[in-house]
Structure formats: structure tokens, C-alpha cells
Amino acid sequence: MDILKQQNIKFSLIILFLIGLSACQKETAESTPTATNEPIELIAADVVHVKSGSLADKSPFTGTIQAVSQTSVQSQVSATALQVSADIGQSVSKGQVLARLNNQDNNARLAQARANLAAAKAQAQLSKSLVDRKRRLWQQGFISKLEYEQSQVEYRAQAEQIKAEQANVNIAEKASQDTVIRSPINGVITNRQIEQGQTIAAGQTLFEIVNPSKLEIKASLAVAEAYKLFVGQNVEFRLQGDTKLYPAKVTRVSPVADQASRNITFYAEPSAQAPLHIGAFVEGSIIRNNKQQASGQIIPLKSIRHIDTSPYVWVIREQKLLKIEVDVVQKQTADQLAIVSGLQNNDLVSLIDFKHDDANQTVSIKSQTAQTTTNK
């Protein structure tokens, strides 16, 4: 009997425990609100207002700033550098002496060529005197006509010899002048590859000079966009690290596409107000004046989902999150904008992507002030 009584007591305690556990679970379930009752919270930076208007037809490009006038100064002779009078960063003028090379051999060749020229002239003068003398003798009948004509041939040969010796003098003078290295343009030296006492080979680059007074943009555009390029085309660009846009105009367009990149190279003259530096990286857009520009609702390009297949956007309309299909009329990658149709003018477009189950959920948008206060 005692054993049976103990078992009944244990069974009663188990029943009471199970009843208590069930009551606790029910109380917990009733006190915990469902997630579906909570609104989706966004901040003002997560949404944009739909705008109406049109977009300019722009094609983005990248390029660099370079000098319009730049050159490499090379040696025309093999010699030793005697004097170097210019260095990197130095401003030079056209015709200024940059370096002098050893011209001892060239001076000797020039002296020899001038001596040969003088001898040829003296011989020609003598031949001319003989021609005049033999002409008189022939006219008086003292010599034959053949002898007189022979003297004329000798004189013409001497005259041609003078021309040959003069050409040798010109060559020697040119070689002597080539030992004096002069600047071909006004500009600034950006590179120097010559030192005093160094042996220089013919064709070796000695200096590189640029004229920083006039700069241009060198950029490239895909062949598919080449129809938008023409001289006088409007361009806008910004320098690396700068958000300000500056205007420019296309001045030259290459007629040949690059074999590697398949891009067309073009050059543009930037605005005088732009703070330009040679070698600076730029990014910009070719602006095409299209009289048949599309107009519609303007929204950020990144807010459109599945833009190439079935484009749609998430919008907040009457505090509800809706998935709205749109038609993309125009895309502008330069400013990351698009013209679409299918929205209402008072819609707020979400920049954040959601799941399909989030559709029709209530949306709460916190102001920037409230967000700042919360963060503090």
C-alpha cells in the first residue's frame, strides 16, 4: 500500500508540472508580438523623390592632361659631353644652348672641307682665264676650235667641283653645329639623360621638354560611341579628387581605332579656369545635343532591379512598400540616372533592395535629425 501511495503522489506531481509548463509557454507566446506587426524602418538617405524632366545624352570617358607642345631632344652625332647647362625643372627658350659636345674632329673636317672648296674655286678661276685666252687665240686662228672647246669642258668640270666641295662644307658645318645642343621650343625640361664627360651615341635622347603654357585633354572613347565625336563637341570633366565640373571642347579626333583597346583617341581644349597639371588623371563626359531627348520620371540607376530583364523598383506609397514594374526609357551611366515610366509623382523610390515577402509592409522613415539624435 505504501508503494502504491508513493506512485500516486509522483504521478500527481508530474501532472502539476506539465500543467504549469503549458501555462508558461502560453503566457510567453501571448506576451511576444509578431514580427509582421512591426513597420520597416528606413532613413531619409535610403529613399529619393521621383523627379520629372529629361537627361542630356552623355558618354563617359577617362583621360589625362598633357602639353600640346612637347619634344625629345636627341643627339645627331656620337661625341663626348663637354658641358651641360640645363637641368630638370628649368625653363628654357627656343634656341637656348642646353649642352655642348666634343667637336674637335668635326672642326677638323670643316677646316679641310673649306680648304678643298678654296682650292676648287682657285682652279676654276684659272680654268676660266684659260677659256678666255683660248677664245681669243681661236678667233685669231692660232689654235683649233677643238682646243678651245676642250678648255670650256675643263672649266665646267671645275665649276661642278666647286658645288661638290661646297656640299662637303655644308655637311661639315651641320656636323659642327650638331655638337651644340639647343632647345627647339620654349618650355620646361622634364627629363635629362646626359652628364658631363658622358659618351653620347647618335640618336640618343638627351632632354625632354614640354610647354606648360598650353595644355589639352587626351582621352579615348569606345568605337560604338565614336559617332558622337566631332571637332567642337562639348565636353565636361573633373580632375581626380575634385568634384567640380569644368567645360572643354573637342579639338582633334583620331581617324584610327587603337588595335588593343578598340577605342578612338580624341583631344579636347579645357577651360582656362581649370587648375590643370601635366599628367593629372581626368574623368568626364561627351555631351551630345540631341533635339529628340526623352523625358519622363528621373530616378537613380541603382534603384532599378533586374534592369536588363524585368525592371522594377521598390517604392513607398502611402506608407506602404510596393514592388512596381517600370519601363526604362533612357539610361545615363555618366550621372547614374535613368528615365522611366510607371511611377507616381509622389512616390518615394527606395535605394535598398527588399525580399518579395516584404511587399505591402508598412514603412516608417526616420528624419535625419532623429537619426542623429539616436546615434548620440
Side-chain angles (χ1 to χ4, degrees):
M1 292 295 293
D2 292 338
I3 294 175
L4 181 61
K5 185 176 181 180
Q6 290 178 357
Q7 289 178 348
N8 290 334
I9 292 173
K10 290 181 179 180
F11 180 75
S12 299
L13 291 175
I14 292 173
I15 295 298
L16 291 175
F17 175 76
L18 293 175
I19 293 173
L21 180 62
S22 177
C24 291
Q25 291 176 346
K26 182 177 180 180
E27 181 180 356
T28 303
E30 292 178 351
S31 61
T32 303
T34 58
T36 57
N37 294 331
E38 294 183 356
I40 298 175
E41 292 187 354
L42 299 175
I43 61 174
D46 295 331
V47 295
V48 294
H49 290 273
V50 175
K51 297 180 181 180
S52 298
S54 60
L55 297 176
D57 188 1
K58 297 182 179 181
S59 298
F61 68 84
T62 58
T64 55
I65 301 296
Q66 68 173 21
V68 175
S69 179
Q70 52 187 329
T71 184
S72 295
V73 181
Q74 298 176 332
S75 175
Q76 302 298 315
V77 296
S78 298
T80 303
L82 295 179
Q83 178 185 2
V84 181
S85 54
D87 206 347
I88 296 176
Q90 179 179 342
S91 297
V92 294
S93 57
K94 183 177 181 179
Q96 179 177 334
V97 176
L98 307 179
R100 295 182 185 273
L101 307 181
N102 183 2
N103 62 351
Q104 184 176 355
D105 293 341
N106 291 322
N107 288 339
R109 294 189 187 97
L110 177 59
Q112 182 180 2
R114 286 173 175 171
N116 293 338
L117 176 61
K121 288 181 177 181
Q123 188 64 37
Q125 184 65 32
L126 177 60
S127 297
K128 186 176 184 303
S129 299
L130 290 176
V131 169
D132 294 339
R133 181 181 177 185
K134 288 186 177 183
R135 184 177 65 251
R136 291 192 298 269
L137 293 174
W138 170 66
Q139 290 173 349
Q140 295 173 2
F142 293 106
I143 61 174
S144 65
K145 184 178 180 180
L146 179 61
E147 188 175 354
Y148 166 63
E149 290 176 347
Q150 184 178 359
S151 66
Q152 287 182 315
V153 171
E154 292 176 354
Y155 171 68
R156 285 196 293 269
Q158 290 297 326
E160 294 300 323
Q161 184 64 29
I162 291 176
K163 295 180 181 179
E165 296 299 340
Q166 182 63 58
N168 290 333
V169 170
N170 294 340
I171 294 173
E173 288 179 344
K174 176 65 168 55
S176 180
Q177 293 172 359
D178 288 341
T179 59
V180 180
I181 309 300
R182 300 179 183 272
S183 175
I185 62 172
N186 297 326
V188 177
I189 296 176
T190 59
N191 190 16
R192 190 185 87 173
Q193 301 181 21
I194 178 175
E195 299 293 339
Q196 185 172 346
Q198 179 181 352
T199 300
I200 305 300
Q204 179 178 338
T205 298
L206 306 181
F207 298 93
E208 292 182 1
I209 306 173
V210 300
N211 187 350
S213 61
K214 189 174 183 180
L215 305 179
E216 65 181 357
I217 298 172
K218 180 182 179 182
S220 59
L221 197 65
V223 174
E225 302 286 333
Y227 70 94
K228 300 180 181 180
L229 278 174
F230 58 88
V231 175
Q233 178 74 43
N234 290 325
V235 173
E236 63 180 15
F237 71 97
R238 61 169 57 90
L239 299 169
Q240 187 177 22
D242 190 2
T243 58
K244 186 177 180 180
L245 288 172
Y246 298 95
K249 284 188 178 295
V250 176
T251 55
R252 291 173 289 149
V253 180
S254 174
V256 182
D258 183 82
Q259 294 296 322
S261 63
R262 300 298 180 183
N263 290 340
I264 295 292
T265 300
F266 68 93
Y267 302 85
E269 181 179 357
S271 168
Q273 291 77 20
L276 304 179
H277 300 281
I278 297 174
F281 177 80
V282 301
E283 56 183 7
S285 302
I286 299 290
I287 304 175
R288 187 184 181 204
N289 297 324
N290 188 356
K291 296 181 180 180
Q292 298 180 348
Q293 288 180 348
S295 60
Q297 298 165 324
I298 302 176
I299 62 174
L301 200 59
K302 65 179 181 180
S303 66
I304 306 175
R305 315 299 167 187
H306 297 171
I307 190 170
D308 296 323
T309 53
S310 302
Y312 66 90
V313 295
W314 291 101
V315 302
I316 293 89
R317 184 183 298 171
E318 297 179 355
Q319 297 183 343
K320 293 289 186 179
L321 181 65
L322 302 177
K323 176 185 174 183
I324 305 296
E325 294 182 357
V326 295
D327 293 326
V328 180
V329 180
Q330 179 183 345
K331 294 187 294 184
Q332 187 193 96
T333 56
D335 294 330
Q336 288 295 297
L337 296 174
I339 292 181
V340 300
S341 61
L343 301 177
Q344 296 182 5
N345 292 334
N346 58 350
D347 284 341
L348 291 177
V349 178
S350 172
L351 301 178
I352 299 176
D353 195 11
F354 293 94
K355 298 179 181 179
H356 296 292
D357 295 339
D358 295 328
N360 299 316
Q361 291 285 337
T362 302
V363 178
S364 173
I365 301 177
K366 290 185 178 181
S367 64
Q368 190 66 33
T369 304
Q371 181 70 15
T372 304
T373 304
T374 304
N375 292 337
K376 290 181 180 180

